[in-house]
Every structure is written in structure tokens, then in C-alpha cells.
Amino acid sequence: MSGSILIVDGVATSRIVMKARLGQAFYSILQAVDGGAGLKLARSERPDVVLIDHSLPDMDGTEFCARLRSDPETATLPVVMLGAKGHPEDRLAALEAGADDYLTRPLNEALLLARLRSLVRAGEIEAELQLRDDTCRELGFAESAAGPEKPARVALVADAQDDGVVWRTALAAQLDTAVDLLPRADVLSEVPGRPVADVFVLAIGASVGPGLGSVAGALDVMSELRSRAATRHAAILVLLPRGGPAAAAIALDLGAGDVVTGPFDPREIALRLGHLIARKRRLERLRACVSQGLRLAVTDPLTGLYNRRYALPHLARIAERADSSGRRFAVMVLDLDRFKRINDTWGHSAGDEVLVRVAERLARNLRAGDLLARIGGEEFLVVLPDADLPTAQQLAERLCRLIEAAPAVLPNGAEITVTLSIGLAIGDPTQPGGTDGRSLLDRADHALLAAKAEGRNQVTIDRPAA
């Protein structure tokens, strides 16, 4: 995995050794001799991970983290702090200042590289979502997320119930969020009404001695969580006994967001959970914005129906399926009669209201699998999969009657009677070119023109030449 690492260390030999280590893993290396230079490089180069020493010539590592986090341009850059001592208070201070991890020298190279891979991978996911969101915004398809975020939920999964109760109590005292205790047997079961956790703390095998066996159970559960749609994007923190760097490296490489290898310290775990929750919230916001942007890209903003951008490819897919199944399908083009007169008489806001009401009535009278789209100003497209001519004609005539029988009621109480003209064409897999979507759309459109010419408020059927 390629990526750029910024090393901030006042000791030249330490920078050289670290550069050699990481260079062998094909990382691009940036170097800074003190905190001030590191902050400038972080802002200008935007590295994938910042690797800093606990003690810098001009500031300590915690001040560097705090200043990095206070700058919007660098606030989300992953940071790993390296310390000569493993004092719990130093680790807590680093995490409180915003570091994603605190590793002690002498470094376990496998664990260091696994941690970097994990952070680079998470950063790439966030960067990809941010890029898509930026594109949606440039195209005008994005909207701001609405409403406050729900409080995060944490699920603690433990083998031993007694230990789990003690750990949950200690964690709940440190967190401003709910902590649910789940036995391993229940974590993967779907219980109606039980909310899905945002973060899973896997304390499975936490009482086992050092080695790969201590992480096997947690990895099994983690794999299941990653394979299920409801929990695929949940954050995961794995608790391991002291002295298990090989197991920790495997857990990180297989998808854990964080790993704690020391004894259970609720303060440290709470800080790490806070980082995981913050990252998950950012990703959720980006996913929601991208999803909303994609929805807006294929949706008519006035009626909420699909637009032409979506309708034409969907028509092509229906045609492909008809070719495979040998079943006919129907294409209708619907147009409101004398719609310009409505706009000229009542105003464009009244015309918009009429379009919305007509769209609602059409949607209520179609099957779930039918396609309904607004493809022009007052023009709609309906595609009926698995429909022959008698079925489609009967529906088209019923739609004409329904629209005419129910005037559109404006907010001021005024009623506007509306009628439809409909052109209908049948896609027939038994005929040469009989399922070409574009051709069928043209044929339905020509039939619509004939319906208009013959008096409006009627259905005209395309009759291909024999």
C-alpha cells in the first residue's frame, strides 16, 4: 500500500532509521526537524500519516497534536506518537491531545507497519468519499445533512459475563454514550428493536495469554460483522492481553479500527472510542451526502419522480430483461394537455402544483416494479415490464379517466381540471429490433403526437408496419 508519511523528530539518526524502515515498505517519506516545520509540512503536503516523537526541540508531541487538530486543514490527519517510555499517563496525554495511537520504543516493526496500513486505508476511504461529495456539490446535487446526530452506541462483547459487567460499568463512567453488554453468542443475532451499535469493543479471549490464539475468536466475530450490511461500517476496537503485538498486527490488517494490547484502562479505551466514533461520524456524513447527491442526480426536484437521466438507462435494462425472458413490455409517453394555458392563466406556481398532484396520482396507480419518470416539462414516461397490449391499453385509458376526474386543488382552494394524452408502444422480443428502448420511446412519442392531433385526452397506440 503506497502512501506518504511525515516523520517529525529532532534526532537525525532516528529520522534516518525510520526513513529506511518505512522506505522498504514503499512509503514516500517527508521529514521535519521540529514541530514548527512539521506543522508547515503537514499543512502544505497533507501526508497520509504523521509520525511524531514525544519530545521535539521546540515543543512536546502533545502540543504538536493539539495545534494540528486546531487547524481545519490538518484536523483529521492521522497521528502516531512515538515515546521512549510506556507510562500510561504519557499515552493518555497523547490520546487526549488527538493522537490516534502511542507506540513505545523499541518499536515492533510488524505492529508499526500494520498500524500505518490501517490508518492509510481509513484515510483513503474518507478521501474517496470526500472526492465524490465534492463532485456532487460541484454539480449542484448535494444538500446539507439535516438534524442533530444521534448519540453513538457502544457494544461491549465479552466472553466472561462478570468481567463484562465490570468493564461496562467502568466504560460507561467515562463515556457520554450508551454501552450495551453482549455475550459472544448474541452479538451476531438479529433481535427486533435492538439498535445497531456504532462501535463494537471485542473483549473475546482477553483472558488468554499472548499469542495468536488470543485474537482468533475476536477475528471470527469481526469477520462476521464486516460481512453484514447492518454492521459493515461499524467501528471495531479489539482488546488483547499485554505482549501480543503479532496478534494486534493481524487484527489491524483484518479490519480492526484500533487495538489495545495493555491491561484494561477505561480512560484509554474511552479516548480511543472517541476517536473511532468521530471518524465513523465523518464517514457517515460523507456517505449520506454522496447518497443524497446521487439521489438528487437522478430525481426530479419538483415531483420527486425519477428524471430522464435515470429513466433511459432503466428502460434499457427493462428491454434487456425482456430479451432474456421473451416477455413483452409497454412504453407510454404522457403529456398534460394545454399545460401552457394553465401557466398563463394561473401562474407557474399553480402549474407546479398541478404537476405534483398529477405525479402523485400516477404513482398511486402503478405497480411497484413499473417505471414512472418526469422526462420533460409536462411530459412523463411510464414503462410497464411484463405487459402486453391489452393490459397496457387498459391501464393507459384508466389513467386518462383518473386524471380528468380529479381536478388539481390549489392551496387557495381553486380547482383546475387537467387531462392527459398518452402515446403507447409495445416492446416485443419476437420482432427484429422490437425491444430497442430508444426506438420504442420514439414510437410512443409519435403516438402521443397523434393523440394530440386527434383531439387530446385519449390514448393512441403505435402500430408498427407489418
Side-chain angles (χ1 to χ4, degrees), residues 177-232:
T177 186
V179 180
D180 301 318
L181 177 61
L182 298 176
R184 178 180 176 180
D186 293 348
V187 66
L188 299 175
S189 61
E190 297 182 3
V191 179
R194 186 175 73 188
V196 177
D198 296 284
V199 186
F200 289 88
V201 180
L202 304 184
I204 300 171
S207 59
V208 181
L212 299 183
S214 63
V215 76
L219 294 184
D220 288 342
V221 173
M222 185 166 63
S223 297
E224 287 291 335
L225 291 173
R226 287 283 179 254
S227 70
R228 301 185 179 200
T231 56
R232 184 169 300 143

Side-chain angles (χ1 to χ4, degrees), residues 109 117 140 153 178-180 212 244 259 313 347 354 400 428 446:
E109 187 166 343
R117 286 192 294 268
R153 298 194 70 89
V179 180
D180 301 318
L212 299 183
V259 175
V354 168
C400 281
D428 188 348
H446 283 114

Side-chain angles (χ1 to χ4, degrees), residues 150-154 171-179 270 277:
K150 295 181 181 179
R153 298 194 70 89
V154 176
L171 268 181
Q174 299 289 327
L175 293 169
D176 185 22
T177 186
V179 180
I277 290 169

